Amino acid sequence: MPRFSFLRTVLGLSAASLLLLSACQSTPDKPLPIYGGEEIAPGDTVYPRIPDYTLLNQDRQTVTPATFAGKVYVSDFFFATCPDICPVMQTQMLRVYEKYKDDPRVGFISHTIDPSHDSIPVLRDYAQRLGVPTARQWHFVTAPRDTIFHLARIYMAGVQLHPDAPRGVLHSGAFALVDPQRHIRGVYDGTVPDQVDKLLADLPRLLAELPEAPAAAAK
Amino acid sequence: MSTRVTFRPALLRLLAALAAVALVLPGCFTDRQNEGQRLYAARCAGCHGANGQGLRRLMPPLAGSDYLQRHRAELPCLIRRGQQGPITVNGVLYDQVMPAHEDLTDSQITNLLNYVHNAWGNRAPKHTIREVSELLRACDGSDGR
């Protein structure tokens, strides 16, 4: 039963990463952690930033880090014909979307890891069926596969090629929470409602870091 | 508040008999230890929802689905071979891919369908394994188990 074993691998991967990550989980009174910090000298830590990228969304618009300037955003990786975890993830992402719908401080980005199938019309149809009429706030994006895979590693979504997996790719359901400085401030298993509760609790804490009157500034 | 329970031999025998029946019964009916429900949770709920509610216009619902009645005889093959192309459920047009389930036995498909037919307010007669095996022949999908 290959499907089961993939699911197990995927869950295993995410469980393992969550165990690792729990080390940098913060307490409510402290600011959210910044992921992946490296101490280059005692007391001097550098934090990686999401690198530059150029993607295309379901409305055929270019998406770059500038799209999310001044905003907090949530990222995930999926594909339209994904038989196991994606519908679960998108159900959970919808919870976050519904809560912050029309809030200009919050953006969403879902990257397809199957760009050869998920053309722009496919992405647009998928988004609309999910109840996302335009890319104004939630971008369903595509790019050459290598670009997406590279980003997936950066957003900690554990994408891997696997000959026996559906559409040849294995991925985890990780959601990453990113701040306006392009730092990852939270990673959650998007297939687990409790983890998404945590994301819903962390998001306002990150928004509280934004400068005053961000709504006007962000638009 | 203490209630004392004393097991009299007759009661014990009755319990033993009941236990024996409970062990034998699942053999007679098709639903081994809620197999339908367990399989649903493991194999279908991700897409169709824990309560069969579906997901917006992406995944069709199974709770209250008119498709179940209209296509009752095709359901075993739908589960076995998967389904793609536009289909209408409760007046809404869906067009995604449902994967095949080649590893399920005929009896597991029977239990799954019987669960779906009677969960979340659905009410429909149950299928027997024999009936499902026969229906599966339409897509050459019966494994005879």
Side-chain angles (χ1 to χ4, degrees), chain A residues 59-81:
Chain A
D59 290 347
R60 233 177 258 285
Q61 296 154 337
T62 303
V63 174
T64 67
T67 309
F68 298 109
K71 294 176 199 260
V72 160
Y73 70 95
V74 189
S75 138
D76 76 355
F77 291 78
F78 82 109
F79 56 111
T81 56

Side-chain angles (χ1 to χ4, degrees), chain B residues 41-67:
Chain B
R43 307 298 297 276
C44 323
C47 290
H48 291 288
N51 298 309
Q53 75 276 22
L55 175 55
R56 304 279 173 98
R57 285 191 300 116
L58 207 54
M59 300 289 158
L62 299 180
S65 156
D66 62 351
Y67 192 94

Side-chain angles (χ1 to χ4, degrees), chain A residues 2-8 10-11 79-90 113 164-167 169-173 191, chain B residues 42-48 59 97 99:
Chain A
R3 288 254 324 281
F4 266 162
S5 47
F6 295 135
L7 206 57
R8 261 204 296 273
V10 167
L11 293 179
F79 56 111
T81 56
C82 160
D84 31 53
I85 62 172
C86 306
V88 182
M89 288 164 59
Q90 301 299 33
I113 54 173
D164 299 329
R167 304 290 304 167
V169 268
L170 210 64
H171 68 129
S172 86
T191 64
Chain B
R43 307 298 297 276
C44 323
C47 290
H48 291 288
M59 300 289 158
V97 180

